[in-house]
Amino acid sequence: MNDNDVVRDLTLDGNAVAGLLEEVFGADMTTADGECAHCGSANAVGALRAYTRAPGVVLRCPACGGVIARIVQTPRGTLVDLRGAAHLAMRR
Amino acid sequence: MRRPLEWQIATVKAIAQETAQVKTITLVLPGWTAHRAGQHYDVRLTAADGYQAQRSYSIASPPERPGEVDLTVERIPDGEVSPYLHDVLVVGDAVEVRGPVGGYFVWEASSGGPLLLVAGGSGVVPLMAMLRHRAAAGAKVPARLLYSSRTLEDVIYRQELEALASRDGLEVFHTLTRGQPKGWTGYARRIDQPMLAEVSGPLGTAALAFICGPTALVETTASALVQLGLAQERVRTERFGPTGT
Ligand SMILES: Cc1cc2nc3c(=O)[nH]c(=O)nc-3n(C[C@H](O)[C@H](O)[C@H](O)COP(=O)(O)OP(=O)(O)OC[C@H]3O[C@@H](n4cnc5c(N)ncnc54)[C@H](O)[C@@H]3O)c2cc1C
Ligand SMILES: [Zn+2]
């Protein structure tokens, strides 16, 4: 296995961090639609790429690889960085 | 409104050996809520010094069974959490869990079909919940499962899958990648595009696909299915991440 395989094998779907997202946003976010601020493509949050082995969780756009969201939990609180999301549309 | 998502203490009701490396753990939940087939629970272990490790495990049982869930766990030899669940946990123990979560990777009888399920190894777990739910709900949607295992002995739920496949409209295809018994007539290689074309062909390109298992298998399968003409948004994936192989 080379380094690329290792990185690939650590990739999960946004659906895998459903629990964390629900803790932070108070609702199931995996079916919310997100628009990537980098390339404009629209994807369900559950269909983003998720990286959970970094400090915190990073969600990336499956089309361009750009970072859409970063969530970092510390003993003092939770930081949610959504700079890479043009918008998130939650269904009722 | 659903209740807020909270960690709760589940109790181990039963543990069953499925294959040499796979066990099913039945948990009784004080705050059980009906899940949708395909959803998972987060499991959190806390060491005496406060160190915590958290992993996700798909629900294997159908939502039609109230009060408890089955989690089916493969033992990853150098892993942190799965060896604990296999080697340490016994009936009566307490386990901290939260869920059910993950509304993106779900199939309900009302979702329709035709249904194309593709699994590698323990990736069959959430797909089994879908098939159990399909049977419990009496759904007749045509369904095909393509399931990759190393050997026949590694096939999880083998007998139950056989029994389910003899019922309305479900066909099960196995591929064995590391070794095949004498006289094996199924597939004997890693999942590839020709195999997916054969299995998915009769369902047509309007099929609703759920792919689950090791990340590499999920990615190969998802891109092959899109190349075969399935719509991207009808190809749902659940990567299980590193499995140590
Ligand atoms: C949504 C979801 C549902 C899942 N459902 C199931 C299920 O139903 N059944 C099931 O058995 N599993 C399931 N999994 C997988 C499960 O969550 C765990 O990943 C699995 O049990 C391994 O956990 P572990 O702690 O035993 O191993 P880990 O400690 O996570 O290690 C796993 C492997 O990865 C390697 N590794 C760990 N960290 C790194 C790193 N930073 N870089 C490189 N390699 C690394 C380890 O050496 C090892 O080989 C699911 C995963 C997801 C995301
Ligand atoms: Zn993008």
Side-chain angles (χ1 to χ4, degrees), chain A residues 1 5-23 26-31 43-51 53 73 91, chain B residues 1-5 7 36 38-40 42 54-56 80 98 100-105 214-216 218-219 232 236-245:
Chain A
M1 214 202 265
D5 290 339
V6 172
V7 173
R8 186 203 55 203
D9 285 348
L10 294 173
T11 306
L12 303 176
D13 298 88
N15 196 64
V17 294
L20 171 67
L21 294 172
E22 189 162 333
E23 177 184 338
D28 180 20
M29 294 300 291
T30 60
T31 54
N43 285 285
V45 171
L48 301 177
R49 302 287 175 267
Y51 300 85
R53 307 265 171 159
Q73 288 181 306
R91 288 185 205 136
Chain B
M1 271 291 284
R2 63 169 278 172
R3 55 160 182 96
L5 183 66
W7 289 98
R36 293 186 288 153
Q39 285 190 296
H40 63 269
D42 292 336
Q54 184 187 315
R55 298 288 184 271
S56 301
E80 213 173 6
R98 72 172 174 198
V101 290
Y104 176 73
F105 195 81
T215 296
V218 170
E219 294 189 349
Q232 183 99 54
R236 302 267 159 130
T237 53
E238 183 89 286
R239 293 163 172 82
F240 270 10
T243 54
T245 42

Side-chain angles (χ1 to χ4, degrees), chain A:
Chain A
M1 214 202 265
N2 64 37
D3 287 357
N4 284 339
D5 290 339
V6 172
V7 173
R8 186 203 55 203
D9 285 348
L10 294 173
T11 306
L12 303 176
D13 298 88
N15 196 64
V17 294
L20 171 67
L21 294 172
E22 189 162 333
E23 177 184 338
V24 171
F25 291 94
D28 180 20
M29 294 300 291
T30 60
T31 54
D33 287 313
E35 186 187 317
C36 174
H38 311 282
C39 75
S41 74
N43 285 285
V45 171
L48 301 177
R49 302 287 175 267
Y51 300 85
T52 59
R53 307 265 171 159
V57 165
V58 176
L59 292 173
R60 289 181 180 272
C61 172
C64 75
V67 174
I68 292 190
R70 262 185 336 125
I71 301 169
V72 182
Q73 288 181 306
T74 71
R76 279 184 295 144
T78 301
L79 173 81
V80 184
D81 174 355
L82 285 171
R83 261 174 296 182
H87 69 250
L88 287 176
M90 294 156 74
R91 288 185 205 136
R92 226 183 290 281

Side-chain angles (χ1 to χ4, degrees), chain B residues 166-184:
Chain B
S166 63
R167 298 164 61 146
D168 297 331
L170 169 67
E171 285 173 274
V172 178
F173 302 82
H174 290 282
T175 183
L176 303 178
T177 56
R178 296 251 177 112
Q180 304 80 30
K182 257 208 189 82
W184 176 250

